[in-house]
Amino acid sequence: MKKFLAIVSVLMLSALVARAEVELKTIQRYPLGYLPEQFCTNGLACYYVSGNRVLNYVNIDLLRVNGTVQDLKILPTGTSFYALYQNRKQVPALVTDNLFGKAILSDLNGPHPSCFCFSSDASLILTAGMDGKIHVYSILGNKFKEIKTLDEQAVCNVISISPNKYYVVTSAGSNLHIYNYDTAQLRLSLAIGGSAKKIVFSSDGSMMYVLCDNSIIRCFETVNFTETQQIENLGDALSFDVSGDGKYIVVSQDHRISVVNTYSPSRRQAIEIPEGGVTEVSFARVRNGSERMVFNTSSHMVFSELTGLEANYTRLMKEELGSR
């Protein structure tokens, strides 16, 4: 009860005082040796893509392929990264670099993948194949075993799985397809009026956020997948991420990062990045449990902290009441 009353007191007090502006506090800037096309971060691990290369933020070559790297993801455990690339014959393939060394994932490349994702517990890798199916593999060290197939009947450009592994979501054309993971059956299809560029679930899996190619972020609750709101007027939104408590969204644009309060989208703040070249932005949880914001410019990888963010008291109260 004391904890609940403390949360209520802070919530009431915060409504009475002037809200502090969100400010960007740079912690470290690392000069990049190559033009970054995309990057991926997991805690202290941060790798970026430039052409046929994957490099870390101090410009050490981690991987070179005979083709072009199209996507890069770090396994949630941080022990390895996976790169989707297209060789000079325009054939896509997955490659990994981990404690076992570089390896082409031949087990996963029968149906050439168009996109892929991991489960948040790092036990599964899902690939959307050029054969129009979703292939689910268990990850056992450097071995992979196909355990399930979902019949997508389309070539997808984005795939994601909810943190609780209840749902698999794919984007094909202007539709989202939502599958029940356990039954491997299509639950529903949602028309979103454009192609999805990125799909992000909240850390508790209660919300799904979709950035469309028209620069609108569409927000859905995950009980019935009802749309709760649309976040518009984001300029040319390139990428986005959601804070761990689900209260804030950060959106990358060429010379700007927008910080949006998900509970009141009109409350937003633009942080100008004069250097420009921003393509991606991400929240990264570090060892002490706090979050850092990581973004790239045309010549630097920037690790930063956003000050002035308010806690998600709505979720805190819900969790406190739920624990009783």
Side-chain angles (χ1 to χ4, degrees), residues 160-175:
S160 186
I161 183 170
S162 62
N164 52 21
K165 294 192 285 194
Y166 287 176
Y167 307 110
V168 175
V169 181
T170 63
S171 169
S174 60
N175 293 308

Side-chain angles (χ1 to χ4, degrees), residues 246-258:
K247 187 166 184 177
Y248 292 95
I249 289 176
V250 288
V251 184
S252 62
Q253 298 155 283
D254 184 24
H255 284 81
R256 179 183 297 117
I257 293 174
S258 296

Side-chain angles (χ1 to χ4, degrees), residues 166-285:
Y166 287 176
Y167 307 110
V168 175
V169 181
T170 63
S171 169
S174 60
N175 293 308
L176 291 181
H177 296 158
I178 300 167
Y179 294 87
N180 182 298
Y181 174 75
D182 287 335
T183 64
Q185 298 299 309
L186 179 67
R187 175 174 171 175
L188 74 157
S189 180
L190 296 173
I192 58 173
S195 178
K197 297 173 72 173
K198 188 175 182 179
I199 300 171
V200 175
F201 283 94
S202 61
S203 59
D204 63 358
S206 65
M207 292 293 297
M208 178 180 73
Y209 306 89
V210 183
L211 173 62
C212 302
D213 58 4
N214 58 5
S215 295
I216 294 175
I217 295 177
R218 305 185 66 162
C219 311
F220 301 85
E221 51 80 21
T222 58
V223 176
N224 299 303
F225 285 93
T226 301
E227 187 170 32
T228 59
Q229 64 179 328
Q230 295 185 13
I231 301 175
E232 302 177 306
N233 301 318
L234 295 172
D236 185 14
L238 301 175
S239 185
F240 81 106
D241 201 9
V242 183
S243 62
D245 65 3
K247 187 166 184 177
Y248 292 95
I249 289 176
V250 288
V251 184
S252 62
Q253 298 155 283
D254 184 24
H255 284 81
R256 179 183 297 117
I257 293 174
S258 296
V259 183
V260 183
N261 186 315
T262 60
Y263 288 88
S264 181
S266 61
R267 286 181 55 198
R268 62 181 68 185
Q269 187 169 331
I271 299 173
E272 300 298 326
I273 311 295
E275 186 177 346
V278 179
T279 58
E280 296 202 41
V281 62
S282 177
F283 283 108
R285 188 170 294 275

Side-chain angles (χ1 to χ4, degrees), residues 21-56:
E21 283 197 353
V22 176
E23 295 183 354
L24 181 69
K25 177 184 176 183
T26 299
I27 297 173
Q28 189 68 54
R29 285 167 54 90
Y30 293 93
L32 300 179
Y34 302 89
L35 183 67
E37 296 164 6
Q38 68 171 102
F39 75 87
C40 187
T41 183
N42 184 327
L44 296 177
C46 186
Y47 310 139
Y48 72 98
V49 171
S50 185
N52 69 334
R53 297 179 172 191
V54 175
L55 308 98
N56 64 14

